[in-house]
Amino acid sequence: MKEIARRSLLLDYYGELLTEKQRIIYELYYQDDLSLGEIADLQHVSRNAVYDLITRTDEKLEHYETALGLIAENTTQRKAKEELLRDLCDWQANLGGPMTESQQARWEALLERVSKL
């Protein structure tokens, strides 16, 4: 399942860089869960042609991620944001008493800024 999720993510990020035929066949295989034979019938090509296209498309998408790193960067940013939110919540929990009205307003403003990251 993890492989299919990665392929779907690669397609989301880099699908517009593929040809229409590559994108259609890749979507049919990984997102619509059609077999090689079913795709071959729909596209009027051989199963081997479908397999070769999917393999080349996999390589191309992985190459894009290696070169551009958009998925890796997004993952890093998401983890940093989650860690920052966790730290802010820990800070709030360890205040030792209720916040003043101005502290609460500042706290809410900080959380709003973090949520927009």
Side-chain angles (χ1 to χ4, degrees), residues 1-114:
M1 182 65 175
K2 192 173 185 175
E3 176 188 337
I4 292 172
R6 173 145 176 91
R7 300 295 174 217
S8 183
L9 198 56
L10 285 166
L11 189 61
D12 288 345
Y13 274 81
Y14 304 111
E16 293 300 316
L17 300 174
L18 300 174
T19 66
E20 184 178 356
K21 186 168 188 150
Q22 287 171 325
R23 190 172 49 256
I24 288 169
I25 290 177
Y26 206 79
E27 286 175 355
L28 289 171
Y29 188 70
Y30 283 110
Q31 293 182 334
D32 297 341
D33 200 27
L34 296 183
S35 70
L36 297 176
E38 290 169 323
I39 297 169
D41 288 343
L42 285 172
Q43 296 295 314
H44 308 291
V45 295
S46 69
R47 289 182 72 232
N48 194 47
V50 172
Y51 176 80
D52 289 344
L53 188 137
I54 290 170
T55 301
R56 286 192 318 273
T57 303
D58 276 336
E59 292 169 0
K60 184 179 268 194
L61 291 171
E62 288 293 349
H63 172 75
Y64 290 146
E65 175 57 17
T66 299
L68 300 172
L70 298 177
I71 296 171
E73 179 64 26
N74 182 273
T75 301
T76 300
Q77 288 177 355
R78 184 178 39 78
K79 286 180 181 178
K81 180 181 173 182
E82 289 169 0
E83 185 177 325
L84 179 56
L85 281 170
R86 192 172 37 254
D87 290 347
L88 285 170
C89 289
D90 288 346
W91 172 81
Q92 182 189 29
N94 293 320
L95 277 176
M99 286 191 275
T100 66
E101 193 173 306
S102 65
Q103 287 174 324
Q104 183 67 33
R106 178 74 173 139
W107 171 252
E108 290 171 7
L110 286 171
L111 287 178
E112 180 68 25
R113 285 177 48 204
V114 169

